[in-house]
Amino acid sequence: MEPASTLTNPNARRRIIGLKRELVRLEQWLTDPEAETRLFSVSGIGGIGKTTLLAEIVGRCRRSTALTLWLDGQTELVSSGAFLASLETGLANEYGKHRAPGTPLLPYLADELSKQRTVLVLDNGERLDRLESWLLSSFLPRLRSTGMLIVIASRGGLPPKWHSHPYWSSRIESCPLRLFTREQSLDYLRESGLETETQLDVARRTDGHPLLLALTVDLLRSRGQDVPFRTDDIPAILSGDWLREATTPALHQALTALSLLPAADQATLNELLDAPLDIAAYHELGRLSFVRSTPQGLSLHHVVSRLLREDYLRRAPGQFQTLRHKAFRLVADKFHDADRRTQTHIAAHVLELYRENLPFAHAYADFSAPLRADEPPRYRSEDLPFLHRFLEDSLARSDWHSELVRAEDCHAVLDEIVRHSPEGVCVVRRDNGTPIGFCAGFRLHAGTVPYLERYAPSFLPMLGEEAQRLAKASPDTADSLCVLLAAVDTGQSLYRPEELGALLMQQWLIHMTSGWRGIMASADPQLNSLLPLLGFQERGRIRPEAAGAPEMIRWELDFRHTTFEQWVQLVLRQTNPDRMNCEPEPTDRAAFEADDVLSLLRHWLDPEQLQQLPVLRQLRLSAADIQSRIQSILNAEPPPFPLTQLEQRMIRESFLRGDLNKNELAEAFHMSRTTFYRHSRQAVRHLAHVLNGG
């Protein structure tokens, strides 16, 4: 990857980062005396390094004595004549070869290119489809050389016709370029002359995008290091470049809306647009280089998505806030009916969407780094030596590990957790999969309570009478997780400890959204100031038996009873009430929302609390009125549409009777806890629909 300055100064030193695999393959072809004719298809979003790779390929090929020609697809793929004329000019200017008078151009070029090992390099190959029929039927068959390499760089890769061709399909090597890892970004930055802390900031905020990294370095160099680095200083030129790929104003607007969604089908995307896209425009959007198709619809490349959002926020902050809220309502509504993998992506996307509302500077967590939850942070058996090492270092510094467990027991506790509750271990990794941080805790059931009694004796008294129930609960009904240990790798230089703390916290929160209750206990004032900002609720205090030990606070985040959207709105209120991005509650409402009905059902057995709910005051209803209406709906045969008989039963058993917990209810309905949670949420939404008159 080269800085932007080298694009206009060919003598500037070019730094090649992150292209090792492609260059090794090139060297193998160049040094193979029996090399076959091959085609390298280099692809990737704008600014990811395609032209840099081509420039390095040309340099190495010319040093190897291969006949090498570079063509620019923007001007030299407009017609077959322009293509052939460019090849002739290249042979004349680079190699002093001239066509004899009267010799036809195509036979002359075919003969010259077949005399020796030849490399054709074609940049900006997006227009290749204009000439592909002619190239495949008239030009390429004339080349007799068995040692030709054709390198074509384009944003979307080769058109399908090439991949289905009887000759070329087996000779294509796809080279999709990827973003820099954090390690590669820092490797690039080491020779930038920037301070170490600034290098870490730049690596984090440019998110591995090569051109964005180069432009940011050039910007900082040009103005000097005395001026502080701010997120807003990252160049917005790339946002404009990506928007220019969309050829119509309608697609411009659709891209901006898509940046606010994890993925969207045509109908979902149109809910955010003033002018809906028709099916042809939706398919055109899907052909852009930074848009990919998923089972849930079209999805933007995460770097493009982030930069488009930031650019939109700068240009039109009011419109951005309004559209972001609409997008949040859309994804929150889809959350409860989605499968677990989709829920994970939705939760991660919402955290990223509102990252500006999370604490940016805290002793334990810095949320300024983008979160990429591509895969669940599951524990693997090969992780254990790393986790013990992090824990040992943490114990030596007296930080991170839980105050509930004695220092001498921490390693034993970790071993018992991975043996009995491996799903209670959350691991954050480097790009190569190596662990760099973890938190770990027990699922609470009869099999794990003895370990809590042994290693964290002050925890169970915090739970009161509930501890007796948990001591008899089966593992299948466990729905609570007590975090006991956490540590990060402070020996690595890629991430600050606070960054890793934030990534761990976000991954753990995402895991909890599937219907878990998370429990933590701490006497650390820094941690106790952070947890309520993330939606944790204080559930009591306890003073340890040791003399002089500080009082500990028990914190809970309960997704068994808190909906995903309620949690997000709580976080927004806690962290930034003046800029909360949720619409205000109307003062004169005419309809029940699903969350209103959920509150009614939760307070069903307490008429006094029921009467205090804002929704009843706003709709001028009494507790007796709403109880009578809901009772009538839940006893109707057949139930009013869209409520089903199963949903009637679920609501009656879950809320009106209240003698079974969620785990027992799920077992009674022959469902997993997650499936029961999803169906019960749908039942509440359907009840709200009926209450509003169908």
Side-chain angles (χ1 to χ4, degrees), residues 335 339-353 358 367 370-377 426 428 439 481 502-516 534 536 557 559 564 567-568 673:
F335 181 89
D339 57 61
R340 181 60 197 131
R341 183 176 179 84
T342 303
Q343 286 183 334
T344 296
H345 286 296
I346 289 175
H349 178 80
V350 170
L351 284 175
E352 179 64 17
L353 204 60
L358 299 175
F367 291 89
L371 172 68
R372 288 159 58 185
D374 297 328
E375 62 177 76
C426 176
V428 172
C439 61
L481 182 68
L503 292 173
L504 265 177
M505 185 65 73
Q506 289 175 92
Q507 293 282 24
W508 190 78
L509 290 172
I510 291 168
H511 178 57
M512 292 293 104
T513 59
S514 62
W516 287 86
L534 299 176
F536 283 81
L557 182 60
F559 278 103
F564 175 72
W567 169 61
V568 173
R673 178 174 46 82

Side-chain angles (χ1 to χ4, degrees), residues 12-69:
R13 183 173 179 228
R14 186 193 303 122
R15 296 213 53 215
I16 303 298
I17 302 289
L19 301 174
K20 180 179 179 180
R21 180 176 60 89
E22 292 78 10
L23 294 174
V24 166
R25 183 64 194 94
L26 172 69
E27 292 294 342
Q28 290 172 343
W29 185 87
L30 287 173
T31 56
D32 182 0
E34 305 296 329
E36 294 181 335
T37 297
R38 307 294 294 174
L39 196 154
F40 285 3
S41 174
V42 179
S43 60
I45 62 173
I48 202 166
K50 297 184 295 295
T51 300
T52 294
L53 175 58
L54 296 195
E56 184 66 17
I57 286 175
V58 168
R60 296 191 181 203
C61 289
R62 286 177 175 166
R63 289 193 295 272
S64 74
T65 72
L67 188 152
T68 307
L69 298 174

Side-chain angles (χ1 to χ4, degrees), residues 47 181 350 626:
T181 64
V350 170
I626 196 63

Side-chain angles (χ1 to χ4, degrees), residues 242-252 255 284 288:
W242 286 316
L243 285 172
R244 279 191 293 275
E245 268 200 60
T247 55
T248 67
L251 289 187
H252 282 210
L255 275 179
E284 184 180 352
L288 298 177

Side-chain angles (χ1 to χ4, degrees), residues 401-410 413 455-456 484-485:
H401 65 283
S402 172
E403 299 138 291
L404 289 170
V405 180
R406 294 180 303 176
E408 59 267 29
D409 291 334
C410 283
V413 168
Y455 293 114
L484 294 176
L485 304 172

